Amino acid sequence: KGVFFFALTQLFYTIAMYLKLGTDGKEVMLAAVAIAIIWQVTYRLEMNLHKEGLLLTVYPFLVTFMAVKAGYELYVMESFDYSIVLFSVGALLFFASDIFLGLWRFYKSVSWYKYMVAIGYFTGQLLIAISLFYS
């Protein structure tokens, strides 16, 4: 259930970014490449996705799309925009927290991974929420 609700939340974040910023298609292609790389790494690390395997094949797409979109928007930003910077940095921290969560939960249970998950997740969520004040 937890993975499903995280995926649903991620879907809403991704839709919000798309509606607010639009797309020129480049970030979708970049996300596809990033997803292919992530799936290869997951396969090579022989990560055990347990019973969440099906949802964990959809969720990374959403998270990766949001992270690539965030990085792309920072790259193409012509003038400084607090909303885009805060939302994008928050999205990238959220992505980083999910990488550590995946490593911690499905690869190796290294104790410091859980701290990286918490720092990235809560800081990312905070920045995304604060970005709404600059819209």
Side-chain angles (χ1 to χ4, degrees), residues 17 21-22 27 68-77 84 88:
M17 283 189 89
L21 304 171
E27 65 270 18
V68 169
K69 177 71 173 164
Y72 184 79
E73 290 300 325
L74 288 173
Y75 179 74
V76 300
M77 188 170 52
I84 291 173
S88 295

Side-chain angles (χ1 to χ4, degrees), residues 16-79:
M17 283 189 89
Y18 176 79
L19 291 175
K20 180 172 175 54
L21 304 171
T23 183
D24 63 6
K26 292 177 186 172
E27 65 270 18
V28 175
M29 290 185 290
L30 290 170
V33 170
I35 289 165
I37 292 168
I38 289 169
W39 279 342
Q40 280 298 312
V41 168
T42 302
Y43 175 75
R44 289 176 191 241
L45 291 178
E46 298 177 357
M47 297 176 85
N48 181 4
L49 302 180
H50 310 295
K51 62 183 178 184
E52 297 97 353
L54 178 61
L55 279 173
L56 290 174
T57 58
V58 174
Y59 181 72
F61 174 78
L62 297 170
V63 174
T64 303
F65 179 78
M66 189 177 83
V68 169
K69 177 71 173 164
Y72 184 79
E73 290 300 325
L74 288 173
Y75 179 74
V76 300
M77 188 170 52
E78 294 177 6
S79 61

Side-chain angles (χ1 to χ4, degrees), residues 45-48 101-109 113:
L45 291 178
E46 298 177 357
M47 297 176 85
N48 181 4
L101 178 62
L103 290 171
W104 178 46
R105 175 80 166 86
F106 302 108
Y107 182 59
K108 287 185 180 176
S109 186
Y113 285 173

Side-chain angles (χ1 to χ4, degrees), residues 20-21 70 73-90 127 130-135:
K20 180 172 175 54
L21 304 171
E73 290 300 325
L74 288 173
Y75 179 74
V76 300
M77 188 170 52
E78 294 177 6
S79 61
F80 190 82
D81 182 329
Y82 282 108
S83 179
I84 291 173
V85 170
L86 291 170
F87 195 101
S88 295
V89 172
L127 292 176
I130 290 172
S131 75
L132 296 174
F133 291 109
Y134 293 97
S135 296

